[in-house]
Every structure is written in structure tokens, then in C-alpha cells.
Amino acid sequence: MCLALGVKVSPPPPATEAELVARAAALAGRTLGSLADELELSVPSDLRRAKGFPGMLMERALGATAASRAEPDFPALGVELKTIPVDARGHPCESTFVATIDCATIGEVEWERSVVRAKLARVLWMPIEGSRPIPVGDRRIGSALIWSPSPEEERLLRFDWEELAGVIGQGEVERMTGHLGRNLQVRPKAANSRSRRRAFDRDGARCAVLPRGFYLRASFTSALLARHFHLST
DNA sequence: TATTGATCATAT
DNA sequence: ATATGATCAATA
């Protein structure tokens, strides 16, 4: 009778999107601490050395594939899981990482085939209290939202993506700054500032640059979440 | 104090 | 080393 001790705590992958959404919805109001206890995981005192804790915890709780792969979190459903830290008013505390950038080839890619578009095609947003004074274990999980970009949202994302990818594609990576882009931006995504990835400079010569990634600005995700909680628009 | 640039853990 | 999960912390 005890064969499954420590095993039953991790649920199997949901069979349908509806099942996934139902599981996520059932987590609303729970704290990260109670969920961690149930999954037999320890809660870090803070996130300085455990930045991925909320995300990993939700993956386990919802039955996502444990292995970190270059696939959606729920391959069979085509759904990407994103936790998003929010303040007391429900406003995102942070931007949302979307994807790393291959600076050497992004110039050859079109928006329709971009990894940003693919990753954001279907997202399960899990808002979680993220105010730093709140102990990690006491942080509550909010109301989940399954989302796909509206035609207008996709238009906005495409506009920024084409500008940003265009700059990098022209070999102007070093001119890239987090100030560019209204809804999507490019920022470092690396172990540290000495990390390097191969790319091409403006003359087409090989060079090494700081790895970067695409991020959704908080203003964008804030509007997206607000649309969910206010019944209009 | 909002935002940009820097960084951390784990797994493959 | 690279990719996944992100948040931290210095700056403007």
C-alpha cells in the first residue's frame, strides 16, 4: 500500500487544456508554502538564490514535463506556463522573460516563424503574490488565465519584434538597449555580464556578444491581466 | 520608484 | 556550455 509514497504528490500531465485550466483554477488562494509541503519540496527563505522557484513549483503542481526542454511546458496541449509576480493591486512586479535570441540568425527569421510568436501563441498565466516583504511560503496564488494574443496584441508584438530583430539582424547588437520596444524589449539573459555568444557585427564579421532575450514589458502583461479581471473590453 | 542591466539554480 | 525557470539590484 505504500508503493507510491512520495510519488502520488506529482500529478500526471493533464490530458486536455480544460483539465489543465481546471487544475490551475483550483490552486487559486493557495500559498506557495502549502503547495510545497504537499509536493514535499522545501521553500527557500527568499528568491535571491532560487529565482526559478515559483515557476518550478507550478510546473510540478500542474504536471508539466519536469525536464527543461525547448518545447512548450505542455507539449501535447501546446501550452506555455508562465508564473507572473504581482503586487497587492494585481500589477506585475516584473517583466516576463519570453525567449533567448540567436543573434547570429534572427535576421533571417520572419515574425510568423519566430520563437516569440510560437511561445506566446497559447499561455497559461499564473499570477502569484510577488511583493518582497511577503515571506515566499506565504505568497498566494491568484486566479489563472489561459490566453492567446488578440489580433491587436499580436500586431503590437509583431511591430516591436520586427524593429528589435531588425536592429540585431543588421549587426547592431551592441546598440541594443532595454529602452527599445513599446511592449516587447531586449535585455541580457545570461549567467553574468562576461557571458558571450557568437554573432555578426555590422560588417558581417564574426563577433561575440552578451546573450540577450526578449521580455514582455510589465505594462503589456498588466493590461492583459486587467482585461481578465475587469469584465469589460 | 520604475526600469534597465545583471545574475542565480538546476538540468541536459 | 546552453536552455529552462525567472528575480535581483543598481541606476536614472
Side-chain angles (χ1 to χ4, degrees):
Chain A
M1 66 175 278
C2 293
L3 285 177
L5 253 191
V7 171
K8 74 169 182 64
V9 295
S10 277
T16 65
E17 184 181 280
E19 185 183 342
L20 170 59
V21 172
R23 282 189 198 176
L27 262 24
R30 297 281 306 276
T31 62
L32 297 185
S34 74
L35 202 49
D37 285 348
E38 195 172 293
L39 297 175
E40 300 176 2
L41 296 173
S42 56
V43 179
S45 53
D46 62 67
L47 301 183
R48 282 179 296 183
R49 294 188 175 266
K51 297 178 180 179
F53 177 73
M56 299 299 210
L57 183 63
M58 294 310 302
E59 286 185 345
R60 292 233 199 174
L62 296 172
T65 309
S68 300
R69 275 290 184 177
E71 296 182 310
D73 297 291
F74 299 94
L77 307 179
V79 175
E80 177 75 12
L81 173 64
K82 289 281 180 208
T83 57
I84 182 165
V86 296
D87 62 22
R89 295 173 39 190
H91 186 92
C93 301
E94 294 288 344
S95 54
T96 300
F97 171 70
V98 178
T100 53
I101 303 172
D102 180 348
C103 296
T105 61
I106 194 168
E108 313 303 311
V109 181
E110 293 163 32
W111 164 253
E112 282 73 14
R113 296 196 194 81
S114 69
V115 11
V116 168
R117 181 168 183 268
K119 290 212 174 191
L120 298 181
R122 198 65 173 164
V123 179
L124 177 63
W125 297 98
M126 295 292 296
I128 297 177
E129 285 185 318
S131 298
R132 296 186 194 182
I134 305 177
V136 178
D138 294 345
R139 297 184 188 182
R140 292 171 299 180
I141 295 166
S143 174
L145 166 63
I146 184 74
W147 169 89
S148 286
S150 65
E152 172 66 0
E153 287 169 329
E154 175 159 350
R155 185 184 71 72
L156 293 171
L157 294 173
R158 175 178 186 154
F159 182 87
D160 286 341
W161 185 90
E162 291 183 338
E163 177 187 7
L164 300 168
V167 170
I168 298 173
Q170 289 307 118
E172 305 287 343
V173 199
E174 298 303 349
R175 295 287 179 234
M176 191 53 65
T177 162
H179 293 90
L180 276 55
R182 193 102 173 71
N183 299 281
L184 196 63
Q185 66 178 167
V186 170
R187 304 222 307 282
K189 171 59 174 172
N192 55 60
S193 61
R194 286 141 265 141
S195 301
R196 288 294 182 272
R197 290 292 302 279
R198 26 188 31 172
F200 295 101
D201 62 24
R202 71 188 69 186
D203 300 318
R206 311 188 67 90
C207 64
V209 303
L210 178 65
R212 294 159 193 271
F214 283 111
Y215 293 76
L216 249 23
R217 287 186 180 280
S219 56
F220 183 86
T221 52
S222 180
L224 174 168
L225 293 178
R227 205 181 60 187
H228 177 57
F229 294 114
H230 301 316
L231 300 174
S232 55
T233 238

